[in-house]
Amino acid sequence: MELDVTGPVFEWRGPAPHHFVALPEDAAAVVRDVAAAVTYGWGMVPVTVRMGEARWTTSLWPKDGTYVVPLKLAARRTEGVVTGDVVDLVVTIDV
């Protein structure tokens, strides 16, 4: 299952700062519909993400009623992405 997602990059400044893009409500609803069948615990949903030429595997994290996509540092560097940029992602749910 493939989702096209566009959104701003934000930084979570926890003990290990990381960058994310939040899924819009329509995409989050699709994920919620399949999450129980694919989650490996804590609501995490395994996915493959493509941003430009960068591609990586990760998991969607449930947060504030939606899901967020972690953006790997190597992918952000490859694509020149910084906090506040609006990016296009292709998110494939690994079913």
Side-chain angles (χ1 to χ4, degrees):
M1 175 177 301
E2 194 171 273
L3 304 170
D4 293 319
V5 174
T6 299
V9 175
F10 68 93
E11 184 178 13
W12 179 68
R13 305 232 7 121
H18 208 67
H19 293 76
F20 299 90
V21 172
L23 294 186
E25 179 51 40
D26 58 338
V30 170
V31 174
R32 278 192 292 277
D33 286 345
V34 299
V38 298
T39 186
Y40 58 85
W42 306 289
M44 308 294 263
V45 176
V47 295
T48 301
V49 181
R50 190 174 69 239
M51 178 174 63
E53 296 299 315
R55 183 182 173 100
W56 67 97
T57 58
T58 188
S59 294
L60 301 178
W61 301 10
K63 181 168 175 38
D64 299 332
T66 189
Y67 291 86
V68 295
V69 182
L71 302 181
K72 290 197 172 180
L73 177 59
R76 288 189 297 110
R77 285 183 176 158
T78 296
E79 297 298 319
V81 171
V82 297
T83 303
D85 286 352
V86 175
V87 296
D88 296 318
L89 307 174
V90 177
V91 178
T92 304
I93 299 172
D94 299 334
V95 292

